[in-house]
Amino acid sequence: MSYDLIVIGTGPGGYVGAIRAAQLGMKVAVVEKRATHGGTCLNVGCIPSKALLHASELYHEANHGFAGMGIDVSPKLDLGKMQAYKSEGVKGNVDGVAFLLKKNKVTAYHGTGRILSAGKVEVTKEDGSKETLESKNIVIATGSDVAKLPGIEIDERQVVSSTGALELKKVPATLLVVGAGVIGLELGSVWRRLGAEVTVVEFLDRILPGTDLEVAKQFQKILTKQGFKFHLGTKVTGLEKSDIGCSVAIEPAAGGAAKKIAADVVLVAIGRVPFTEGLGLADAGVQLDQRKRVVVDDHYQSNVKGIYAIGDVIAGPMLAHKAEDEGIAVAEILAGQSGHVNYGVIPGVIYTAPEVATVGKTEEELKEAGVAYTVGKFPFMANGRAKVNRTTDGFVKVLADAKTDRILGVHMIGPNVGELIAEAGVIMEFGGSAEDLARTCHAHPTLSEAVKEAALAVDKRAIHM
């Protein structure tokens, strides 16, 4: 069978790119090794984790917040039903992707894809049979896999990856999280709210590497108040399992006395690595970089003509929405249009409570680049809606160019900031200034007023502070 485009992988980048290509009149096929579409994100990542984050937050609020609002309840945790709720949400999403592919007349092949050469993809099905497909263009959208900790075996029971951490059958009394990045802190939050004692071990001397440092420090204080324990500047040197749990050996990253921490469950969350193994890339002559990512040009084409790559398998943040935009861009490029992605305006969100959201440059990046900038900050403590909702932790920070007032970055920690960050992204996409944002009328009372006030604070004229 011959196609205009074959996409290997139907995660957010792959399925979105396939649908956009079909909209543009191409004959498109996708190859997916899972029984369901949606990739890591919909099956064992973004979607199920958000379901558990939402449910656990409501459970925690019912236990600790309702009484103060005059609501007397005695919630009981049924983890089995909570997991079923999560699975129902996953099914609804993956079924939705299957529907969209069918609606757009995209042919789906279930099996493992391997590139034989430019224009040829071999699909190995579950029963072992093989089929060769031909295409004018191939897009690699195979995403990423869990990064392993050398010498530590993940069994998804006592030592789990993010996948296993979403499937625990009971709340562990103690959970040790290795890695203070987004995944570790989100999943740690789920089990902390449900009753686990959570300890985080991080090799670096800070949490959330790459995030604005002021936001990261404030976030750590909030998590500590929620009951998290942190060992920063610390490395894991060994792990022993027994019938009663795990014993984890840790020591200072810079060297020093070692000690052991006992935990019922250990979550290894040290990041993700591009999934490029088994795709036949070496035989096809596709160049990879030192981190085994596909090297692409400005049009997402590899060094082999007709073979493209997007998402987690190429350079850049491993984010579903980044992959989606790249999927649309490569489809439009193949159709002769000028698809592009503005990498300076890709938001990042941590879906804890409070949430963390950022877009654009951090203060540290601006300082390193020698860019003169001004800062406007506004705390949610001074926001009317946050006050009555009792969600006053956090703040909004706007960074603007000192000469032009153009917004260079916006960083938030607080209630619903994962939604509020979109406002910052839009104004930055249009090259807007802090003054533009400050002059835009915001509804009262809303959390979004904190964004406006932070923009006003750039010029030292915030009203409610």
Side-chain angles (χ1 to χ4, degrees):
M1 190 66 71
S2 182
Y3 296 92
D4 296 316
L5 172 64
I6 294 174
V7 181
I8 304 176
T10 57
Y15 85 75
V16 167
I19 289 171
R20 182 64 183 128
Q23 288 177 342
L24 291 166
M26 295 180 219
K27 183 180 179 183
V28 184
V30 293
V31 179
E32 174 53 56
K33 66 179 181 180
R34 279 190 173 91
T36 53
H37 299 292
T40 293
C41 181
L42 272 65
N43 286 276
V44 292
C46 323
I47 296 301
S49 65
K50 300 311 158 291
L52 290 184
L53 282 159
H54 177 63
S56 64
E57 185 177 348
L58 292 178
Y59 174 75
H60 184 270
E61 184 70 2
N63 267 309
H64 301 282
F66 279 12
M69 293 183 280
I71 307 169
D72 291 325
V73 295
S74 299
K76 293 182 180 179
L77 175 64
D78 186 332
L79 186 57
K81 281 187 178 179
M82 188 178 287
Q83 291 285 21
Y85 149 78
K86 175 206 72 182
S87 298
E88 181 184 357
V90 169
K91 186 178 186 304
N93 276 277
V94 298
D95 286 353
V97 174
F99 167 78
L100 290 171
L101 290 171
K102 187 175 181 180
K103 174 189 172 186
N104 286 279
K105 297 180 174 57
V106 175
T107 304
Y109 293 86
H110 285 278
T112 302
R114 180 180 176 85
I115 299 173
L116 300 178
S117 62
K120 289 189 177 181
V121 175
E122 179 184 77
V123 181
T124 303
K125 300 177 183 177
E126 193 174 356
D127 62 8
S129 63
K130 299 178 186 291
E131 184 174 1
T132 300
L133 312 176
E134 295 187 356
S135 176
K136 296 174 185 175
N137 300 289
I138 299 167
V139 171
I140 302 163
T142 46
S144 58
D145 198 3
V146 173
K148 307 294 195 302
L149 196 59
I152 294 181
E153 178 193 0
I154 293 175
D155 59 19
E156 299 298 12
R157 292 185 303 105
Q158 289 177 292
V159 182
V160 300
S161 67
S162 55
T163 301
L166 292 166
E167 297 292 339
L168 297 180
K169 299 295 188 288
K170 66 177 184 178
V171 179
T174 53
L175 173 68
L176 178 68
V177 180
V178 184
V182 175
I183 295 171
L185 298 182
E186 284 190 353
L187 294 177
S189 291
V190 167
W191 298 109
R192 176 71 195 105
R193 292 173 199 155
L194 298 181
E197 293 294 326
V198 178
T199 300
V200 180
V201 177
E202 168 58 47
F203 184 81
L204 300 177
D205 61 359
R206 54 163 294 176
I207 70 170
L208 298 179
T211 304
D212 187 88
L213 184 57
E214 184 180 13
V215 169
K217 286 181 175 179
Q218 180 71 14
F219 189 41
Q220 185 182 341
K221 289 179 182 177
I222 292 170
L223 291 177
T224 300
K225 190 168 67 175
Q226 292 177 3
F228 275 69
K229 296 176 182 176
F230 290 93
H231 293 279
L232 303 182
T234 303
K235 61 183 177 181
V236 172
T237 57
L239 184 148
E240 295 177 358
K241 291 187 287 185
S242 70
D243 293 340
I244 59 171
C246 300
S247 176
V248 182
I250 64 171
E251 65 181 56
K259 68 177 183 177
K260 292 187 176 181
I261 299 177
D264 292 318
V265 175
V266 176
L267 165 59
V268 178
I270 59 171
R272 298 184 65 82
V273 293
F275 191 91
T276 51
E277 295 290 331
L279 291 173
L281 301 186
D283 292 341
V286 175
Q287 181 185 352
L288 303 181
D289 66 14
Q290 291 181 334
R291 295 170 64 179
K292 295 188 176 180
R293 300 175 299 193
V294 180
V295 177
V296 295
D297 62 17
D298 291 342
H299 287 172
Y300 305 101
Q301 187 167 226
S302 72
N303 60 305
V304 179
K305 187 177 181 182
I307 299 179
Y308 299 77
I310 60 170
D312 289 2
V313 293
I314 67 171
M318 289 182 168
L319 296 169
H321 42 283
K322 175 254 197 189
E324 287 185 15
D325 280 8
E326 289 174 342
I328 290 172
V330 75
E332 292 175 347
I333 288 166
L334 291 174
Q337 298 182 6
S338 54
H340 77 286
V341 177
N342 182 354
Y343 289 99
V345 189
I346 295 180
V349 179
I350 305 170
Y351 299 88
T352 46
E355 293 181 342
V356 176
T358 111
V359 65
K361 298 295 186 182
T362 66
E363 282 203 65
E364 293 70 44
E365 288 171 332
L366 293 176
K367 288 174 183 174
E368 186 177 351
V371 176
Y373 65 94
T374 50
V375 182
K377 286 193 295 186
F378 190 81
F380 279 103
M381 182 72 74
N383 175 267
R385 184 75 183 275
K387 278 183 181 178
V388 297
N389 287 359
R390 295 187 170 184
T391 53
T392 54
D393 281 335
F395 60 89
V396 177
K397 175 162 69 172
V398 174
L399 307 175
D401 188 285
K403 295 179 181 178
T404 66
D405 196 39
R406 182 173 179 168
I407 296 177
L408 304 174
V410 179
H411 307 278
M412 311 178 183
I413 177 169
N416 298 106
V417 296
E419 304 294 338
L420 298 183
I421 200 68
E423 175 181 11
V426 170
I427 197 162
M428 288 174 66
E429 188 66 42
F430 283 88
S433 65
E435 180 72 7
D436 292 327
L437 185 52
R439 292 284 180 185
T440 301
C441 188
H442 288 61
H444 175 76
T446 61
L447 298 171
S448 70
E449 289 177 287
V451 184
K452 174 177 180 173
E453 292 270 11
L456 283 165
V458 169
D459 193 39
K460 296 181 174 56
R461 63 181 206 269
I463 300 298
H464 292 91
M465 183 175 62

